[in-house]
């Protein structure tokens, strides 16, 4: 059922956000990101004891193009 929308002010929309007014069947925002993280980077909790000795993260990307997000419905 159609609706009437008054004045709308949008201050900002994130890079993977969606702003929609009106009827819609399906909205599928998607985004692609490459994350580099070293050993113990995503640990959460209290009183963690992480011993990584000499750890390093290789961020050199040899390929010029990564796999795309095409047809990823």
């Amino acid at each position: 059922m159609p609706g009437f929308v008054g004045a709308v002010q949008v201050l900002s929309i994130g890079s993977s956000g969606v702003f929609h007014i009106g009827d819609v069947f399906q909205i599928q925002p998607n985004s692609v990101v490459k994350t580099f993280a070293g050993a113990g980077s995503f640990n959460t909790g209290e009183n963690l004891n992480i011993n990584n000795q000499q750890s390093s993260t290789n961020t050199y990307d040899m390929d010029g193009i990564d796999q795309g997000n095409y047809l990823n419905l």
Side-chain angles (χ1 to χ4, degrees), residues 12-62:
S12 68
I13 296 177
S15 61
S16 63
V18 173
F19 175 74
H20 179 77
I21 295 177
D23 297 336
V24 65
F25 172 71
Q26 187 175 24
I27 296 178
Q28 288 183 311
N30 55 20
S31 65
V32 178
V33 64
K34 181 184 286 190
T35 303
F36 296 104
S41 295
F42 297 117
N43 290 332
T44 58
E46 298 177 6
N47 301 323
L48 292 174
N49 184 8
I50 302 166
N51 188 3
N52 292 329
Q53 300 298 322
Q54 293 180 341
S55 176
S56 65
T57 302
N58 181 10
T59 59
Y60 177 69
D61 191 8
M62 294 173 43

